């Protein structure tokens, strides 16, 4: 009769084929650690596309998770990614600083995300330390539990009382051993050998219990058959890595829970399982081929991005301000796309990344050189505008109308012809120039009106215009008539104080006619407005532009909640039409605002 004792001794002296091929340890300590690493440790591909913001968010998620302390490898990979990005961005800032003509040793820059990264690392270190402390305590308890199990196993074959169900008892012991937690690596080997030593001793005790041994063989054979069946299913698993991971777990079950079996099934079942395992391992080439194809596609995409940035860095014609502003926006889009694109073949990764950084730095250098060249002309433009401001201030209280009016109109025309000035001075000098012009023209209108207007005659003229406005309908050409009447109204001076209600009546009638003709008051083309009236109208138009843009954004956000947000969707046609109308209205207002600002 072949006994488990004989089986164990033979295997110790000469390892069988199945023991040579088994790739896992006997209990969960090493196997589970390896298995966890496969699942928990982030792969290079999974974090390669992350931006700095995304990496910090993932690190924060780990810290806030219940098992934060044990996710060291995942956190460390993200930390290295974040450090890498911060280092590169600091280096880019340094290159920009040096390209601007500064000494490298004077460079100082604190990355805005560095403090957050340091804080996350500090918090995680505390959680990891607590995890290790708790793990040591848990491993100590597990060690005591496993030692207790070994003692029960030892007593099972040394001090068993008559009537004890050995089959049930050994099943319970083996199940408890399988479910017991990890122990410290320093304890693992001795503990594991001790357990199997006493297990072999137990089987030797069963030499004379043929019935139990046959039950044990039958039970283990059934387990082997289940493992083989599951391994066959893994041959068709579409995710190769998942199949490999589960196959590793099946090998663990095979060694820990499916031994021994009757000798006539031992080699047969092992060979069958080994053959299936080899077929699954052969699928690693599929995985490698798929990764290689994807990485080559990523390399092609990244090279296309590099080529486009290079093209933007080397414009054929002399580029202007608008060209560089559009190029800056496009390069930022390309940079984001490059970082989101997955990994490339490892042997080309460093060269590809260095090419990207070099071409990006070259773009920034060329762009910076352009704006440096503008500083000289902008300073000259500033000096010319300052002369205009001084002339306006010198003459803003002049009452020699025939000469001064023509002078100020010429000053305004010359102002428009002069190019850009340094951005820091744009608003300041414009305010000074505008105030001087406003002072002159307000004085001119006040003095001119007081000396020439016949207020009663103005009232009569305005009353006639009001009657004409009341008679307007919504027929073709009505809008032009309204614009003409509004311009005429603006050009008429003041009316007697007791007749000023005519202005309110005119405005009320104007709103009614505009509503009838479906036009906004801000869209009217008016002439003869004072500087203050133009400023007020521009302010109102800016406010309405802001409101319209907010409404359009809200409508477009609402569309994004639909699975099929196309114009052909009957439920959305009205929304798209509303957006089109608002965009048309927005464009008209922008044109009117431009006309007011440019003085057209």
């Amino acid at each position: 009769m072949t006994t488990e004792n004989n089986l164990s001794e033979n295997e110790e002296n000469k390892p069988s084929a199945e023991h040579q091929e088994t790739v896992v340890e006997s209990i969960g300590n090493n196997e589970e650690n390896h298995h966890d690493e496969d699942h928990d440790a982030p792969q290079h591909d999974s974090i390669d596309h992350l931006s700095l913001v995304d990496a910090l968010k993932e690190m924060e998620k780990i810290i806030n998770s219940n098992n934060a302390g044990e996710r060291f490898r995942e956190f460390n990979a993200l930390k290295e990614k974040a450090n890498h990005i911060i280092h590169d961005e600091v280096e880019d800032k340094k290159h920009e600083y040096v390209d601007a003509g500064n000494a490298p040793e004077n460079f100082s820059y604190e990355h805005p995300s560095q403090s957050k990264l340091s804080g996350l690392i500090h918090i995680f270190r505390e959680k990891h330390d607590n995890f290790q402390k708790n793990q040591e305590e848990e491993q100590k308890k597990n060690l005591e539990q496993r030692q207790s199990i070994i003692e029960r196993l030892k007593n099972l074959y040394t001090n068993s009382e008559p009537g004890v169900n050995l089959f049930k008892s050994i099943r319970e012991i083996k199940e408890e051993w399988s479910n017991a937690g990890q122990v410290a690596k320093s304890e693992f080997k001795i503990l594991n050998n001790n357990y199997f030593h006493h297990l072999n001793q137990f089987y030797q005790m069963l030499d004379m219990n043929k019935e139990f041994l046959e039950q044990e063989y039958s039970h283990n054979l059934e387990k082997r058959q289940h493992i083989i069946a599951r391994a066959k299913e893994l041959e068709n698993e579409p995710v190769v890595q998942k199949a490999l991971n589960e196959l590793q777990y099946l090998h663990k079950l095979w060694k820990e829970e499916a031994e021994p079996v009757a000798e006539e099934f031992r080699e047969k079942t092992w060979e069958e399982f080994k053959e299936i395992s080899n077929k699954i391992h052969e699928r690693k080439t599929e995985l490698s081929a798929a990764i290689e194809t994807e990485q080559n596609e990523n390399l092609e995409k990244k090279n296309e991005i590099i080529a486009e940035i290079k093209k933007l860095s080397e414009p054929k014609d002399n580029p202007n301000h608008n060209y560089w502003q559009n190029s800056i926006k496009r390069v930022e889009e390309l940079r984001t796309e490059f970082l989101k694109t997955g990994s490339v073949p490892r042997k080309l990764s460093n060269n590809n990344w260095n090419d990207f950084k070099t071409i990006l730095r070259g773009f920034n250098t060329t762009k910076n050189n352009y704006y440096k060249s503008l500083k000289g002309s902008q300073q000259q433009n500033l000096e010319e505008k300052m002369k205009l401001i001084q002339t306006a201030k010198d003459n803003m209280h002049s009452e020699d109308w025939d000469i001064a009016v023509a002078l100020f109109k010429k000053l305004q025309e010359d102002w428009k012809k002069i190019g850009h000035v340094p951005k820091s001075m744009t608003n300041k000098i414009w305010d000074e120039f505008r105030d001087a012009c406003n002072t002159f023209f307000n004085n001119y209108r006040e003095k001119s009106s007081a000396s020439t207007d016949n207020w009663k005659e103005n009232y009569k003229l305005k009353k006639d215009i009001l009657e004409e406005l009341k008679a307007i309908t919504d027929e073709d050409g009505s809008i032009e008539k309204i614009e003409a009447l509004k311009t005429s109204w603006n050009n008429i001076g003041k009316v007697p104080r007791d007749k000023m209600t005519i202005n309110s009546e005119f405005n009320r009638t104007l709103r009614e006619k505009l509503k009838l003709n479906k036009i906004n008051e801000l869209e009217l083309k008016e002439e003869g407005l004072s500087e203050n009236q133009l400023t007020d109208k521009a302010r109102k138009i800016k406010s309405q532009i802001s409101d319209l843009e907010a409404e359009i954004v809200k409508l477009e956000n609402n569309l994004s909640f639909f699975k099929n947000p196309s114009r052909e969707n009957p439920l959305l046609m009205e929304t798209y039409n509303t957006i089109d109308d608002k965009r048309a209205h927005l464009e008209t207002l922008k044109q009117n605002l431009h006309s007011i600002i440019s003085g057209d």
Side-chain angles (χ1 to χ4, degrees), residues 325-525:
Q325 289 302 305
N326 293 331
S327 296
I328 290 170
K329 182 179 179 181
R330 178 56 182 157
V331 167
E332 183 58 31
E333 293 173 353
L334 292 171
R335 181 179 180 276
T336 301
E337 185 179 348
F338 185 93
L339 295 176
K340 286 185 176 180
T341 304
S343 63
V344 302
R346 186 175 296 274
K347 61 182 180 180
L348 300 174
S349 179
N350 287 337
N351 289 338
N352 181 251
W353 175 248
N354 290 333
D355 289 345
F356 174 69
K357 289 177 62 178
T358 300
I359 202 66
L360 195 61
R361 192 175 295 118
F363 171 84
N364 289 330
T365 299
T366 307
K367 177 256 297 180
N368 292 339
N369 289 338
Y370 167 78
Y371 282 104
K372 286 178 185 177
S373 68
L374 287 183
K375 288 183 179 180
S377 60
Q378 287 181 346
Q379 188 62 35
Q380 184 178 353
N381 293 338
L382 176 62
E383 293 174 359
E384 292 182 14
K385 287 194 172 184
M386 292 299 294
K387 293 178 182 178
L388 296 182
I389 292 173
Q390 189 59 49
T391 302
K393 286 182 177 180
D394 292 343
N395 294 275
M396 64 183 178
H397 296 299
S398 173
E399 295 186 5
D400 188 356
W401 309 124
D402 291 339
I403 297 176
V405 170
L407 171 64
F408 271 86
K409 288 184 177 180
K410 179 67 166 57
L411 291 175
Q412 291 176 333
E413 291 175 1
D414 291 345
W415 184 277
K416 296 176 186 177
K417 294 177 183 178
I418 299 174
H420 293 286
V421 301
K423 191 173 182 180
S424 60
M425 298 295 292
T426 300
N427 293 334
K428 181 178 182 298
I429 63 173
W430 167 245
D431 290 340
E432 289 185 37
F433 182 69
R434 182 185 59 189
D435 290 344
C437 291
N438 286 347
T439 299
F440 171 77
F441 283 110
N442 289 339
N443 187 41
Y444 169 69
R445 277 191 291 270
E446 183 179 346
K447 297 292 178 66
S448 179
S449 296
S451 60
T452 61
D453 282 357
N454 185 328
W455 288 7
K456 292 183 179 180
E457 182 65 24
N458 290 344
Y459 174 72
K460 182 180 178 181
L461 293 173
K462 283 193 172 185
K463 191 172 182 181
D464 292 341
I465 292 175
L466 177 60
E467 294 303 320
E468 288 185 53
L469 181 63
K470 288 181 178 179
I472 288 178
T473 63
D474 60 347
E475 62 185 359
D476 291 343
S478 295
I479 295 175
E480 288 77 7
K481 291 179 182 179
I482 293 173
E483 290 176 340
L485 290 175
K486 187 72 163 64
T487 298
S488 298
W489 183 277
N490 292 335
N491 290 327
I492 297 175
K494 298 178 181 180
V495 299
R497 185 176 299 275
D498 61 339
K499 302 293 186 182
M500 290 182 66
T501 55
I502 194 173
N503 292 324
S504 300
E505 187 177 359
F506 177 81
N507 290 330
R508 183 174 63 255
T509 305
L510 177 64
R511 287 193 294 271
E512 293 174 357
K513 297 304 179 181
L514 292 176
K515 184 176 181 181
L516 179 65
N517 286 274
K518 298 180 180 179
I519 184 174
N520 189 285
E521 182 177 0
L522 299 176
E523 299 176 25
L524 283 179
K525 298 177 181 178

Side-chain angles (χ1 to χ4, degrees), residues 4 11 18-27 174 188 192-193 195-196 199 220 224 227 248-260 270 273:
E4 183 60 24
E11 288 176 347
E18 59 183 291
H19 285 94
Q20 294 173 12
E21 293 295 328
T22 302
V23 295
V24 295
E25 292 295 336
S26 302
I27 62 174
K174 291 176 70 175
F188 164 71
N192 190 47
N193 292 340
Y195 171 76
F196 277 96
L199 188 62
N220 291 343
R224 286 194 175 195
I227 291 172
Q248 187 180 40
Y249 177 68
L250 292 179
H251 274 272
K252 173 180 180 292
L253 290 181
W254 184 280
K255 187 170 184 179
E256 292 185 8
E257 300 186 12
E259 292 184 1
W270 168 246
F273 183 46

Side-chain angles (χ1 to χ4, degrees), residues 198-361:
H198 290 293
L199 188 62
N200 286 333
Q201 293 294 108
F202 171 78
Y203 284 128
Q204 289 180 21
M205 183 269 290
L206 293 178
D207 280 347
M208 308 203 41
N209 193 336
K210 182 179 179 180
E211 180 180 354
F212 174 83
L213 192 59
E214 288 177 353
Q215 288 180 342
E216 180 77 355
Y217 283 171
S218 176
H219 178 79
N220 291 343
L221 178 61
E222 185 178 348
K223 281 198 171 185
R224 286 194 175 195
Q225 289 169 343
H226 282 303
I227 291 172
I228 291 171
R230 177 54 187 157
K232 287 181 179 179
E233 294 175 3
L234 292 179
E235 291 186 59
N236 300 319
E237 168 59 47
V239 182
V240 179
Q241 189 60 55
K242 180 180 178 181
L244 293 171
N245 290 342
E246 188 166 346
L247 177 64
Q248 187 180 40
Y249 177 68
L250 292 179
H251 274 272
K252 173 180 180 292
L253 290 181
W254 184 280
K255 187 170 184 179
E256 292 185 8
E257 300 186 12
E259 292 184 1
V261 295
E263 188 172 358
E264 64 266 26
F265 298 110
R266 193 170 302 158
E267 291 298 326
K268 178 183 176 182
T269 54
W270 168 246
E271 289 299 327
E272 184 177 3
F273 183 46
K274 184 174 69 172
E275 183 179 354
I276 297 171
S277 299
N278 291 337
K279 289 181 180 179
I280 296 174
H281 278 289
E282 288 173 0
R283 294 189 62 195
K284 284 184 179 178
T285 56
E286 296 179 28
L287 181 62
S288 300
I291 292 175
E292 182 179 359
T293 300
E294 182 181 354
Q295 289 181 338
N296 286 331
E297 291 175 354
N298 292 338
L299 179 63
E300 185 176 350
K301 290 179 184 177
K302 289 189 173 184
N303 285 335
E304 290 174 358
I305 291 172
I306 292 172
E308 185 173 349
I309 296 177
K310 183 178 181 181
K311 185 177 180 181
L312 293 172
S313 305
E314 302 171 350
K316 295 181 180 179
D317 301 326
N318 292 329
N320 55 20
H321 172 71
N322 288 334
Y323 171 84
W324 284 111
Q325 289 302 305
N326 293 331
S327 296
I328 290 170
K329 182 179 179 181
R330 178 56 182 157
V331 167
E332 183 58 31
E333 293 173 353
L334 292 171
R335 181 179 180 276
T336 301
E337 185 179 348
F338 185 93
L339 295 176
K340 286 185 176 180
T341 304
S343 63
V344 302
R346 186 175 296 274
K347 61 182 180 180
L348 300 174
S349 179
N350 287 337
N351 289 338
N352 181 251
W353 175 248
N354 290 333
D355 289 345
F356 174 69
K357 289 177 62 178
T358 300
I359 202 66
L360 195 61
R361 192 175 295 118

